[in-house]
Amino acid sequence: MRELEEKYLKFIDERIAEHNNLSDQYKADNRKDEADLEKIKVNIYEIFKTLFLSDIKQLKGKDLGKNKDIEMYGGFLLRFDTIPNNWKISLDKAIEHGDTTKQVIEEHKLAVAVELKDKFLTLFDEDGGQ
């Protein structure tokens, strides 16, 4: 596995563990809403981890030519546009209807997606696209 993939998966796993720990702490303090929000974040990390692993698996061993990094990771990057689309729509509806709880949830889901995309791009740049 390439260094970029290892670093990215390690980052995701660390964030999952961190948010699971926070959820457990909030549960222990009888802070159910905060605990649930941390679990939602964990779910988003897990979704993108699964998609990343799936995309890598599908392309491994294929002759991708000169632009292998673009083909290897380009599809995954597109997921940061497609997956959050429904969350953005849901956020807009929540704002429109004054549903603060739903608004907070959708904002956190979108923030996790942005964080994951930014981290991936940073690691890709560090890796030199190799």
Side-chain angles (χ1 to χ4, degrees):
M1 185 180 287
R2 295 178 46 180
E3 186 177 341
L4 178 146
E5 294 162 18
E6 290 173 1
K7 286 181 179 179
Y8 191 60
L9 291 171
K10 181 181 180 209
F11 170 77
I12 292 173
D13 288 340
E14 288 171 352
R15 298 297 281 157
I16 288 171
E18 179 182 331
H19 289 286
N20 275 328
N21 288 337
L22 284 171
S23 178
D24 291 344
Q25 289 173 11
Y26 290 144
K27 279 184 201 170
D29 292 341
N30 293 318
R31 296 167 60 188
K32 183 186 178 324
D33 291 342
E34 290 97 332
D36 290 346
L37 190 56
E38 294 303 319
K39 283 298 187 182
I40 289 168
K41 292 176 189 178
V42 167
N43 288 338
I44 303 307
Y45 287 108
E46 289 175 344
I47 287 168
F48 279 98
K49 178 181 179 179
T50 300
L51 293 172
F52 183 67
L53 289 169
S54 174
D55 288 354
I56 297 300
K57 184 178 179 182
Q58 287 179 8
L59 294 172
K60 286 273 188 204
K62 291 187 179 180
D63 183 17
L64 301 174
K66 282 187 346 182
N67 299 320
K68 86 176 193 180
D69 285 327
I70 299 300
E71 293 196 38
M72 189 83 149
Y73 301 123
F76 178 67
L77 284 171
L78 287 176
R79 293 184 184 275
F80 290 106
D81 294 328
T82 57
I83 301 282
N85 275 342
N86 287 335
W87 303 337
K88 291 174 186 172
I89 292 167
S90 183
L91 173 61
D92 291 342
K93 286 181 182 177
I95 292 169
E96 181 181 325
H97 295 103
D99 186 344
T100 310
T101 302
K102 186 71 171 170
Q103 179 181 345
V104 169
I105 290 169
E106 299 305 322
E107 287 171 345
H108 281 285
K109 288 163 60 174
L110 290 165
V112 170
V114 168
E115 175 192 19
L116 285 168
K117 181 179 182 181
D118 289 348
K119 183 63 174 183
F120 182 81
L121 291 172
T122 298
L123 291 172
F124 186 81
D125 287 344
E126 289 173 4
D127 192 46
Q130 301 289 323

